[in-house]
Amino acid sequence: MTMRVTEMMRFNTMYSHLSNVQLRYAEILEKMASQRNINKISDDPSGVASIMNYKKEQSVITGYQRAIENAESWITITESQLTSAAEILINAREIALSQGTGTATDETRLYAAEQVSQLINQLQSIANYQYADRYLFSGTQTATQPFASVASESPQLGLPRQAGGNAFSGDISVDGNYEGTDNRSYVVKILSADEDTGEITWAVSSDGGRTWGEESDPEVLTAGTTTVPLDDDGGIDLVFESVDGAPAAGDIFYVDAFAAGYYKGNSDELSVEISKGVTFEYSITGDSVFSPQGGVDVFALLNELKEALEDDDSEAVLGTLDGLQRASIQVNTAIAKCGTRMNRLDIAKNNLTDLDFKLTELVSSREDVDISELVTDFAMQEIVLKATYSMAAQMGTMTLMDFLE
Amino acid sequence: MSGINLMNIARGGLLSHQTAINLTGTNVSNVNTPGYTRQRAIFDSVANLTMGATETKTGVIIKDIERTYDRFLASQIAGQVQDYEYSKTRQEELGRIEVIFNDYNEGIGQLLNTFWNALGDLSQNPSSQIERVAVLSAAQSLTETFRSVGEQLVNQQEAVNSQVVDLVREANDYIDAIADLNEKIMETKAGQGNTNDLMDKRTTEINNLASVIDFHYMEDAHGAVNLFLSDGTPLVLGLDTWHFKLDVDEDNSQFYNVSVEGAAAETAPLSSGKLAAVIDIRDRVIGGADGYLKKLDDFVAIFAEEFNRVHNEGFDMYQNQGRDFFVRDESLGEYSWIRSITVNSDIVADVNYIAASATVSGDGMNALAMGALKDTEVMLGDRRTTINSHYATLVAGIAQDVADSKRLAEHHLSLMNQLNNQREEVSGVSIDEEMLNLIKFQMGYSASARLCTVADEMIQEILALSR
């Protein structure tokens, strides 16, 4: 049997071809209008995954860039405050030099003592400088004023406090003496509390709650006698003086402990993430610049100078010179630190900008249409569509019927 | 005698050609009827009249009206209809699911990024209410979007489930129609009648059923077709029918399983056709252990649990240890994370409960740790990957499924077109051919009419002789 060509075949074939051509034409139009290669995720599944990953990287970079900008302004402010501090120390040194000589009299020394007192006040306000409501030099405790106006003679313990959401109510006190040379917070966390037996267990942290010791043995909570040893030597205890409401698991009690001296902040530097997995410490803690932890206790030294001047003791005045020299070096070292940190941030920032640019390119190469290619395609599809239309229009115009009378 | 005989022969010719012309007319008018099989008149000379030694043919009759039909092609088409409808339905349903994920530029991926960055900002300024509110609102947008995606998937699954009900009803109607036609065809055949039209109708019904389910069929000696599922369960045997029925799923009272009345199998073995496609979408694509809902729920669960773990290690502004940041409604049972994840209402009421600090001193180090989760590789299924990258992989997987289903549907469509064309080549109506036939039969008719005139004249002459 020879091949038959029937009307249905002709029309069906035309239908399917016409709809194919129209579909391709519509696809090109959609790409033209949206200027995007991927209009539905099924257009390019692996491309979608890549783009999403690139976009995440880009967004992360934006986050890093913002963090770097913040850190930069923090460092800039720190640097300018430290520069003022360095000038104050130079002034103090000049005073010490001039008032240490024989030409100075008790009157000039008294006057100079007043000057030094002013310098101390200025340095206090520098050391307690707030940027955006946050103390520059108090470590990570940016809400705590870092330097007290009067030094504490010996290490001290603060008042015991408890968290706002504690179930416990009652009085707590702290017993014992702190002998450390750094500022820290002891934290007690109730791990379990048995309502029936009244037994509780707890864990203690000596670094503010970052790391925890082992869980204690269960102990029945008794007002006045239950004590929680806060440090390993057992020198400091938290005492539950009275219990009005029993503690529950998760209750937090904490005690701040301060080393001797002026500094009330901590030794942790503020840090930000500036690239994947890299945290960058950008703040300068007050203790490293102005306290014995950094070498010279600057406030103590200036007070010493002031007192020596008031006492008209030229030898003592000259005796501060060496310390003032070292204090200047101490402050200048911190200024230099700011400079190197700025450099590092600059490098990181440039890297990020480069990376961002490359990622934008990568996203664009997968997502954005190639206009010249698309226009060529468009022209081609238009020709195909026109040809198909004209064929369709002529279909069936010629049959045997045309030749029958 | 011969004149009268001639008249009879002419009458036969006239009637036969009349019939043939009528058939041509039927063919031409059904040129656009889907499933129509063209018919052909089979002319045959009839009954010999023996007069002495000579043998004379006494005319023509239409011996049969033939349906030009390729049985093998018909069963191939039925099979292809099943595959085509299966792939087309899958493609349509996946296309609807795809819409949920099309905003890959603004959707979950981007909201995650906003959230990570808000945490980064908070880490630099942990006591700032503005940064805290920013973290909260980023988290809320994220959870809203999670829930909305979950909700849309669940809705889609329910919509597909309601299709199961409709399709089962549809399949049962076709089964009845086929059995009904079986009966008519057997009756007509027994009465020596013409079954062409009924056969066409039955073929159409078989193809209709094939669009819903997959089955085998064969014609028996009496002209009835018998339908069986792939495991041999009968659906139609002559006049008898077995219907599909809906059983409430044991695990989910809203879902229906499909089985055949009286069959041993708890669920009917369906692998092709619309019904199998919607069940597949409901139970394996959206639902099921490897379904999108499960995958997304696992993803949201690991995100929320990891985040809560880090958040709980920190301290809030009141020096409490962090509470769960993300919570869910566990009473929902399956997929409860994606369907009900919200930010803890305590935190919504007071952003100071965000545990941004690693110590009781109010630093931002825990916010930094929470933000660092963006680069932390978590174990999901058998892959270690970051949270964002896992989501991207999920979306790409769905996109790939959609793209595959499109390709498969296109493939089956082109096979379908080819087979239909082959069928049309054999059974379709060609206008030109019919026109030629028309001319041919008209000529035959005219000639037969002419014969009549001649016979009449002959008889007149004979009669004149006797006058």
Side-chain angles (χ1 to χ4, degrees):
Chain A
M1 189 178 176
T2 52
M3 165 105 183
R4 292 176 71 242
V5 179
T6 64
E7 313 311 304
M8 277 284 218
M9 279 165 77
R10 289 199 293 177
F11 281 102
N12 282 347
T13 312
M14 183 52 78
Y15 283 143
S16 69
H17 282 277
L18 190 61
S19 66
N20 276 345
V21 174
Q22 277 174 330
L23 196 69
R24 274 201 300 270
Y25 189 70
E27 271 170 14
I28 291 177
L29 276 182
E30 190 182 17
K31 283 185 184 177
M32 287 275 247
S34 67
Q35 295 287 311
R36 278 167 52 170
N37 259 332
I38 306 178
N39 293 296
K40 294 192 289 294
I41 52 172
S42 57
D43 290 345
D44 183 0
S46 71
V48 165
S50 310
I51 290 172
M52 285 176 74
N53 286 330
Y54 295 149
K55 292 234 159 140
K56 183 233 170 182
E57 290 306 320
Q58 276 193 307
S59 150
V60 165
I61 286 173
T62 314
Y64 293 152
Q65 284 171 332
R66 213 152 58 201
I68 288 176
E69 274 163 30
N70 278 337
E72 275 180 344
S73 49
W74 186 278
I75 293 175
T76 311
I77 303 287
T78 307
E79 199 174 355
S80 82
Q81 292 303 316
L82 288 175
T83 310
S84 311
E87 278 165 16
I88 287 172
L89 288 175
I90 289 169
N91 282 348
R93 196 156 172 268
E94 278 168 1
I95 290 170
L97 266 176
S98 61
Q99 302 303 323
T101 58
T103 52
T105 63
D106 57 343
E107 266 174 45
T108 60
R109 283 195 181 124
L110 213 55
Y111 174 67
E114 184 54 34
Q115 274 186 307
V116 172
S117 167
Q118 289 299 325
L119 290 179
I120 292 174
N121 284 343
Q122 276 179 35
L123 196 62
Q124 273 276 351
S125 74
I126 287 170
N128 285 330
Y129 189 79
Q130 269 181 303
Y131 167 60
D133 286 341
R134 305 169 71 205
Y135 290 101
L136 275 184
F137 296 110
S138 59
T140 56
Q141 285 179 290
T142 53
T144 309
Q145 182 174 318
F147 287 94
S149 49
V150 183
S152 53
E153 294 294 324
S154 57
Q156 277 183 343
L157 284 167
L159 286 175
R161 286 180 284 173
Q162 60 165 330
N166 277 7
F168 173 84
S169 66
D171 293 326
I172 42 173
S173 69
V174 64
D175 189 33
N177 294 313
Y178 178 60
E179 283 164 4
T181 52
D182 57 344
N183 298 346
R184 60 173 62 185
S185 300
Y186 291 105
V187 186
V188 176
K189 176 162 68 170
I190 304 296
L191 293 178
S192 71
D194 192 318
E195 279 180 37
D196 301 327
T197 62
E199 279 182 344
I200 57 167
T201 61
W202 61 81
V204 176
S205 164
S206 57
D207 57 3
R210 214 170 278 131
T211 57
W212 295 93
E214 282 176 20
E215 183 171 356
S216 70
D217 294 330
E219 194 172 317
V220 178
L221 182 67
T222 325
T225 57
T226 302
T227 55
V228 177
L230 292 180
D231 61 348
D232 295 336
D233 317 332
I236 310 169
D237 291 321
L238 181 76
V239 186
F240 292 95
E241 298 286 352
S242 68
V243 181
D244 299 331
D251 278 8
I252 298 281
F253 304 91
Y254 59 103
V255 179
D256 293 331
F258 303 102
Y262 295 88
Y263 190 58
K264 301 294 173 222
N266 63 20
S267 324
D268 299 328
E269 292 174 340
L270 294 172
S271 53
V272 281
E273 203 176 7
I274 55 163
S275 64
K276 188 177 171 181
V278 180
T279 46
F280 179 79
E281 281 153 352
Y282 64 94
S283 78
I284 305 264
T285 60
D287 57 350
S288 71
V289 190
F290 303 114
S291 290
Q293 285 87 345
V296 182
D297 189 338
V298 179
F299 288 106
L301 187 67
L302 288 176
N303 276 319
E304 203 178 297
L305 174 61
K306 191 183 105 184
E307 277 160 25
L309 289 167
E310 282 166 352
D311 295 349
D312 193 17
D313 181 346
S314 68
E315 210 163 299
V317 169
L318 286 175
T320 60
L321 273 177
D322 183 43
L324 285 170
Q325 175 71 28
R326 277 186 290 124
S328 283
I329 292 171
Q330 195 170 308
V331 171
N332 283 322
T333 310
I335 294 174
K337 221 179 192 177
C338 288
T340 51
R341 283 178 177 182
M342 284 294 264
N343 284 343
R344 244 194 95 188
L345 285 181
D346 267 349
I347 293 168
K349 200 160 71 172
N350 288 339
N351 283 343
L352 289 176
T353 313
D354 285 353
L355 199 59
D356 192 27
F357 186 69
K358 282 195 188 105
L359 283 169
T360 311
E361 251 179 13
L362 279 170
V363 171
S364 167
S365 74
R366 297 211 80 145
E367 198 177 37
D368 296 343
V369 291
D370 179 344
I371 291 288
S372 54
E373 195 187 311
L374 197 64
V375 169
T376 323
D377 272 3
F378 180 71
M380 230 155 72
Q381 282 304 320
E382 208 170 37
I383 293 169
V384 174
L385 190 62
K386 272 183 191 158
T388 318
Y389 279 148
S390 83
M391 264 178 63
Q394 281 170 35
M395 250 180 88
T397 53
M398 203 166 68
T399 68
L400 187 58
M401 279 187 292
D402 300 329
F403 301 90
L404 298 176
E405 287 133 32
Chain B
M1 178 66 201
S2 67
I4 302 295
N5 192 23
L6 186 61
M7 194 63 111
N8 273 333
I9 292 172
R11 176 174 153 273
L14 277 174
L15 284 179
S16 301
H17 282 99
Q18 177 81 59
T19 311
I21 287 170
N22 281 352
L23 265 184
T24 306
T26 313
N27 283 344
V28 168
S29 44
N30 277 304
V31 65
N32 288 325
T33 310
Y36 178 77
T37 306
R38 80 191 153 101
Q39 305 186 21
R40 224 169 31 171
I42 309 290
F43 289 80
D44 192 24
S45 54
V46 283
N48 299 345
L49 197 74
T50 316
M51 293 205 312
T54 55
E55 216 181 30
T56 320
K57 305 267 186 186
T58 56
V60 68
I61 58 158
I62 302 289
K63 187 179 75 176
D64 194 8
I65 294 172
E66 188 191 60
R67 215 167 144 248
T68 44
Y69 179 71
D70 183 335
R71 194 167 304 229
F72 176 66
L73 207 52
S75 83
Q76 254 190 320
I77 286 177
Q80 188 53 42
V81 167
Q82 295 160 9
D83 289 346
Y84 168 65
E85 291 293 342
Y86 176 80
S87 58
K88 193 178 108 190
T89 308
R90 260 183 73 97
Q91 188 220 328
E92 284 169 0
E93 294 303 331
L94 278 166
R96 289 193 188 105
I97 296 170
E98 181 187 19
V99 175
I100 304 173
F101 299 93
N102 265 345
D103 63 340
Y104 67 95
N105 263 332
E106 279 86 34
I108 289 172
Q110 207 55 28
L111 289 170
L112 273 172
N113 296 339
T114 314
F115 184 53
W116 301 133
N117 280 347
L119 285 164
D121 293 345
L122 178 62
S123 81
Q124 299 211 4
N125 205 350
S127 53
S128 157
Q129 294 296 301
I130 300 169
E131 313 292 8
R132 282 175 180 267
V133 170
V135 168
L136 172 65
S137 71
Q140 280 177 318
S141 313
L142 188 61
T143 53
E144 258 164 44
T145 312
F146 278 143
R147 288 201 306 274
S148 136
V149 166
E151 206 54 45
Q152 288 180 70
L153 278 176
V154 169
N155 288 346
Q156 197 62 43
Q157 198 182 19
E158 277 162 8
V160 168
N161 185 51
S162 68
Q163 283 192 47
V164 171
V165 180
D166 294 342
L167 286 172
V168 161
R169 198 172 298 142
E170 202 179 323
N172 286 339
D173 287 350
Y174 294 141
I175 288 172
D176 287 340
I178 292 167
D180 194 40
L181 284 163
N182 268 350
E183 186 181 8
K184 283 186 185 144
I185 288 170
M186 284 193 290
E187 275 172 8
T188 316
K189 260 204 165 150
Q192 301 294 314
N194 186 315
T195 59
N196 287 356
D197 185 37
L198 293 169
M199 304 266 272
D200 268 2
K201 279 206 175 107
R202 192 174 63 187
T203 308
T204 307
E205 293 295 346
I206 288 175
N207 282 343
N208 283 344
L209 184 61
S211 73
V212 183
I213 58 161
D214 57 317
F215 57 88
H216 304 297
Y217 72 97
M218 53 196 72
E219 205 172 323
D220 68 13
H222 309 291
V225 292
N226 299 323
L227 267 51
F228 306 93
L229 287 181
S230 60
D231 66 346
T233 311
L235 295 174
V236 177
L237 282 178
L239 311 182
D240 298 325
T241 57
W242 286 265
H243 286 135
F244 287 102
K245 64 181 179 25
L246 295 165
D247 313 310
V248 172
D249 192 291
E250 280 174 16
D251 300 326
N252 189 335
S253 61
Q254 307 201 319
F255 288 175
Y256 297 108
N257 291 328
V258 177
S259 64
V260 180
E261 285 173 344
E266 259 179 51
T267 51
L270 298 172
S271 59
S272 214
K274 279 183 201 162
L275 189 54
V278 293
I279 291 176
D280 186 52
I281 293 281
R282 185 190 71 186
D283 295 347
R284 276 175 289 279
V285 176
I286 301 178
D290 279 327
Y292 297 161
L293 265 174
K294 179 84 175 83
K295 283 183 181 164
L296 277 161
D297 191 60
D298 284 351
F299 163 72
V300 176
I302 199 98
F303 163 74
E305 281 161 7
E306 276 296 301
F307 193 86
N308 283 347
R309 187 180 58 73
V310 179
H311 186 257
N312 293 354
E313 281 169 11
F315 291 88
D316 63 25
M317 292 278 274
Y318 306 114
Q319 281 75 41
N320 303 300
Q321 287 249 270
R323 54 203 69 204
D324 279 351
F325 192 94
F326 293 113
V327 293
R328 62 175 160 156
D329 178 4
E330 277 175 68
S331 68
L332 280 177
E334 253 188 328
Y335 319 128
S336 59
W337 269 118
I338 184 143
R339 289 172 64 196
S340 67
I341 182 172
T342 50
V343 178
N344 190 329
S345 56
D346 293 347
I347 293 171
V348 176
D350 183 354
V351 287
N352 286 333
Y353 283 124
I354 297 174
S357 172
T359 65
V360 289
S361 329
D363 58 63
M365 292 303 113
N366 205 46
L368 199 66
M370 290 187 276
L373 278 175
K374 65 178 178 290
D375 295 314
T376 308
E377 296 199 332
V378 293
M379 197 71 190
L380 243 169
D382 51 358
R383 269 165 31 88
R384 277 196 82 76
T385 165
T386 63
I387 284 165
N388 279 67
S389 153
H390 187 83
Y391 181 70
T393 313
L394 265 178
V395 173
I398 293 169
Q400 192 62 54
D401 288 350
V402 179
D404 288 349
S405 77
K406 256 184 216 170
R407 245 192 310 280
L408 196 68
E410 272 166 27
H411 168 70
H412 281 301
L413 177 64
S414 86
L415 282 183
M416 185 81 215
N417 282 341
Q418 270 176 38
L419 281 176
N420 267 334
N421 272 352
Q422 280 181 25
R423 183 200 170 274
E424 287 302 323
E425 187 189 326
V426 177
S427 306
V429 177
S430 159
I431 296 279
D432 285 352
E433 196 178 274
E434 299 302 329
M435 286 300 123
L436 279 174
N437 280 343
L438 194 62
I439 298 167
K440 189 169 79 181
F441 296 141
Q442 201 185 5
M443 270 165 58
Y445 187 82
S446 306
S448 298
R450 182 81 187 125
L451 265 182
C452 270
T453 328
V454 171
D456 180 47
E457 278 170 9
M458 281 164 73
I459 293 165
Q460 291 304 328
E461 272 175 41
I462 296 289
L463 289 176
L465 283 180
S466 64
R467 203 174 294 155

